Amino acid sequence: MVKSTTKDAQDLFHSLRSTYVATPTNLKIIDLYVCFAVFTALIQVAYMALVGSFPFNSFLSGVLSCIGTAVLAVCLRIQVNKENKEFKDLAPERAFADFVLCNLVLHLVIINFLG
Amino acid sequence: MMNLSRSVALISLFLLPLLSFSFSVDNPTDRRVLVLLDDLSLKSSHSIFFNTLKSRGFDLDFKLADDSKLALQRYGQYLYDGLIIFAPSTERLGGSLDSKSIADFVDSGRDLILSADTSASDLIRSIATECGVDFDEDSSAMVIDHTSFSVSDVDGDHTLIAADDLVKSDVILGKAKIEAPVLFRGVAHSLNPTNNLVFKVLSASPSAYSANPSSKLSSPPQLTGSAISLVSVLQARNNARVVISGSLQLFSDRLIRSGVQKAGSHNQYEKSGNEQFVTELSKWVFHERGHLKAGSLVHHRVGETDEPAIYRIKDDLEFSVEIYEWSGKSWEPYVANDVQVQFYMMSPYVLKTLSADKKGLFHTSFKVPDVYGVFQFKVEYEMLGYTTLSLSKQIPVRPYRHNEYERFIPTAYPYYGACFTTMAGFFVFSFVYLYHK
């Protein structure tokens, strides 16, 4: 039993890895961007746990900018992925333009809330 | 008619300068002293004491205590600055004087030397009680001390006491130490325990007691030991000074000139300490010593000279006050290291000791506390023997204005960095995403 679960885990991991290698490059770039944003957010949460939440608005602003831009990147990935039947008719340029505009609004709000 | 009005005008012109010959704020030493005696022979039997006063410039006016023309005031103005009552057996004072008018005299800031003796009348006792001093109720009692009496005691009943338990104060008794004991023969008094302005200058030794020397003791004496005060002093809240002595002979020429040897001690002194004691005490009582005057409180921010109308929390400020001491002839700078200033709002938030420079300027600097409200700079200086200084100045303190906070908070620098990094990352990402191959 144990041996089969480990072998299953290993097979799962290998299949995931091989499938992922096959994804288009632009999606991989988006994935990398999302990881970077989430990582920055995690650093800020760890810092707040150490120092305390004194300028709470600055903390929220920093975390929100990272999470917000990650969410927008995920939306872009969904809309641009050719395997999604739902967004078949949506031009990828339109999706990217939406992404850029939303990010501009997000960063405007962030800088205002940062204090 | 014309002649009369002209002569009246001339006379009043002459009288006008006389009215200014009394003590004033700029010259606090008393000038004119009324001396009430119950027997004019006291003028000669206490001549040394009166001559020392006259040689220091006092204007002594000797009157009998029951003189019917006695008056302390005329038309609302006091005629004298000081009063010496050497009339222990007088029942009633003459003229317009009574214990109430003497109490009013002290209330107006004027000084008093009161002396009882072996026969203190009720009037003297009531004046003394007003000042917080209670004489022994037994009118025939005297202070007796079987271990601290003077060897030259003629009667042999140990009522002539050689006392050396003096108060430790350079202001009251002068810088020079009184070496010889002070001779005393009279009644005992005790201080009212609820009165915190009166204190003992010469107290009896622990072996003294107050009883009738010519009769046997039937019950233990009420007043004993160091609770007995021989000479006490009161400095009132308006800085009037009162000396109350249980012995008129303390001031007399006989005791001043006599030598003293305390029983049980080998030291024999040619001259008792009485002259030095009464001279120094009279200097203190008549405001030749220990009279302080303060200038106004000055405060400003560090680096400025004008006094601001309002301070902000956490401002740095400098505070100073000038204090002068009257030397008998002029105002000298006061030097001490225990004057303190409080920054006070219901309780002192800041209490600092002022540092003195030799010119009488006391200064310090401190930071306004992190509390806003209406504060007072308070200097409350009460030292034994000195006049009390009670100065205060009010100043409001405001919190930060909205634009006086720090612009960038140092603890939040990582958050600022994260936001800008994200923006840069977004910028780089969009380029890479659009132009990758």
Side-chain angles (χ1 to χ4, degrees):
Chain A
M1 262 334 250
V2 178
K3 216 177 155 188
S4 63
T5 34
T6 358
K7 198 163 179 309
D8 283 340
Q10 271 185 339
D11 285 341
L12 183 62
F13 183 66
H14 281 310
S15 70
L16 272 175
R17 214 196 144 118
S18 51
T19 324
Y20 189 70
V21 168
T23 54
T25 328
N26 58 346
L27 296 182
K28 280 199 236 174
I29 293 175
I30 296 177
D31 288 338
L32 184 62
Y33 180 64
V34 170
C35 285
F36 153 73
V38 171
F39 173 68
T40 315
L42 286 174
I43 292 181
Q44 288 179 80
V45 173
Y47 177 73
M48 188 215 86
L50 262 169
V51 170
S53 64
F54 163 51
F56 197 53
N57 58 321
S58 311
F59 163 67
L60 285 180
S61 170
V63 169
L64 188 64
S65 87
C66 301
I67 301 299
T69 197
V71 165
L72 291 172
V74 166
C75 292
L76 177 67
R77 190 184 197 279
I78 293 173
Q79 289 175 346
V80 156
N81 199 348
K82 294 193 180 50
E83 286 171 29
N84 267 336
K85 297 291 169 284
E86 221 175 278
F87 292 99
K88 189 155 57 89
D89 297 327
L90 186 69
E93 290 81 9
R94 165 75 200 270
F96 186 73
D98 282 342
F99 171 73
V100 168
L101 281 169
C102 291
N103 257 315
L104 281 173
V105 173
L106 174 74
H107 284 109
L108 200 71
V109 171
I110 289 309
I111 291 296
N112 189 30
F113 197 56
L114 197 57
Chain B
M1 216 41 175
M2 271 289 278
N3 254 341
L4 187 63
S5 54
R6 266 230 297 208
S7 50
V8 164
L10 272 173
I11 289 171
S12 54
L13 261 176
F14 280 121
L15 278 178
L16 213 57
L18 272 176
L19 287 171
S20 59
F21 275 128
S22 72
F23 78 101
S24 62
V25 171
D26 290 322
N27 188 334
T29 307
D30 299 345
R31 290 275 125 253
R32 292 165 311 160
V33 178
L34 173 62
V35 184
L36 294 178
L37 310 166
D38 57 3
D39 184 356
L40 281 176
S41 65
L42 281 174
K43 258 174 92 169
S44 52
S45 67
H46 290 60
S47 60
I48 297 182
F49 174 60
F50 293 129
N51 287 338
T52 56
L53 286 180
K54 282 190 202 151
S55 68
R56 296 207 309 268
F58 290 99
D59 194 1
L60 298 179
D61 199 358
F62 295 93
K63 293 251 165 64
L64 275 177
D66 46 17
D67 186 341
S68 57
K69 295 210 195 61
L70 281 180
L72 285 174
Q73 309 186 49
R74 191 187 299 144
Y75 309 127
Q77 296 249 16
Y78 278 101
L79 297 165
Y80 302 99
D81 310 319
L83 181 56
I84 299 181
I85 304 183
F86 279 173
S89 56
T90 310
E91 289 293 339
R92 250 181 78 96
L93 290 169
S96 58
L97 264 63
D98 57 359
S99 74
K100 182 178 180 309
S101 66
I102 293 179
D104 290 341
F105 185 77
V106 174
D107 279 343
S108 74
R110 288 162 170 80
D111 311 314
L112 169 67
I113 298 183
L114 177 73
S115 180
D117 204 47
T118 51
S119 53
S121 69
D122 285 336
L123 174 70
I124 302 293
R125 282 167 199 275
S126 71
I127 300 174
T129 314
E130 283 277 337
C131 302
V133 159
D134 299 318
F135 281 101
D136 194 341
E137 279 163 10
D138 185 357
S139 57
S140 56
M142 289 174 67
V143 182
I144 302 175
D145 193 336
H146 295 300
T147 59
S148 254
F149 61 94
S150 166
V151 162
S152 58
D153 183 20
V154 176
D155 294 329
D157 55 4
H158 302 166
T159 51
L160 184 65
I161 297 174
D164 47 16
D165 193 356
L166 294 158
V167 72
K168 288 182 187 36
S169 171
D170 281 351
V171 189
I172 301 177
L173 295 173
K175 284 203 183 61
K177 187 173 175 315
I178 301 179
E179 298 287 346
V182 175
L183 288 170
F184 177 96
R185 187 160 190 278
V187 294
H189 60 262
S190 62
L191 303 179
N192 187 346
T194 56
N195 188 329
N196 55 359
L197 300 169
V198 67
F199 53 95
K200 290 188 255 197
V201 167
L202 184 66
S203 29
S205 77
S207 55
Y209 63 96
S210 169
N212 189 343
S214 51
S215 68
K216 238 170 107 114
L217 273 179
S218 52
S219 58
Q222 270 189 323
L223 283 177
T224 57
S226 320
I228 296 180
S229 172
L230 305 175
V231 178
S232 330
V233 132
L234 168 80
Q235 179 163 272
R237 290 198 181 89
N238 61 356
N239 296 322
R241 292 172 174 173
V242 177
V243 167
I244 298 179
S245 161
S247 164
L248 190 49
Q249 295 178 33
L250 184 84
F251 298 90
S252 70
D253 292 359
R254 191 171 72 88
L255 288 190
I256 283 178
R257 288 203 192 99
S258 110
V260 60
Q261 182 181 1
K262 198 162 147 179
S265 137
H266 295 293
N267 295 340
Q268 191 177 21
Y269 298 93
E270 285 277 311
K271 199 161 170 221
S272 66
N274 286 40
E275 183 171 7
Q276 191 181 355
F277 178 70
V278 300
T279 311
E280 297 297 326
L281 200 57
S282 67
K283 280 187 191 163
W284 183 80
V285 137
F286 292 132
H287 287 270
E288 282 179 61
R289 202 168 46 216
H291 191 101
L292 298 175
K293 162 176 97 158
S296 60
L297 310 176
V298 170
H299 61 88
H300 56 87
R301 283 199 193 91
V302 171
E304 294 176 17
T305 47
D306 292 337
E307 202 175 279
I310 187 168
Y311 280 112
R312 196 204 67 203
I313 58 173
K314 299 195 198 150
D315 260 347
D316 289 308
L317 59 81
E318 280 178 353
F319 173 84
S320 64
V321 63
E322 284 184 332
I323 302 181
Y324 296 102
E325 185 181 0
W326 179 247
S327 68
K329 292 178 184 45
S330 61
W331 291 104
E332 302 291 323
Y334 181 59
V335 177
N337 56 0
D338 51 8
V339 187
Q340 289 181 322
V341 65
Q342 303 175 4
F343 199 55
Y344 175 94
M345 175 168 73
M346 311 280 266
S347 69
Y349 281 82
V350 176
L351 181 67
K352 286 212 103 176
T353 309
L354 299 170
S355 42
D357 73 354
K358 296 292 169 288
K359 298 203 200 65
L361 183 74
F362 291 81
H363 63 94
T364 187
S365 65
F366 56 89
K367 212 179 188 44
V368 175
D370 196 1
V371 179
Y372 58 88
V374 178
F375 283 86
Q376 281 178 324
F377 287 104
K378 267 191 175 193
V379 174
E380 307 262 357
Y381 191 63
E382 287 176 39
M383 284 285 134
L384 191 75
Y386 286 103
T387 55
T388 51
L389 287 179
S390 192
L391 315 158
S392 77
K393 206 167 199 184
Q394 205 176 62
I395 188 79
V397 170
R398 66 166 173 85
Y400 281 131
R401 286 201 199 96
H402 75 284
N403 59 357
E404 281 174 345
Y405 291 98
E406 48 194 350
R407 181 63 189 88
F408 298 113
I409 300 171
T411 13
Y413 283 165
Y415 307 128
Y416 303 153
C419 291
F420 288 109
T421 318
T422 315
M423 294 208 295
F426 157 69
F427 192 69
V428 167
F429 161 78
S430 51
F431 266 109
V432 168
Y433 180 77
L434 288 175
Y435 296 114
H436 79 94
K437 266 295 156 269

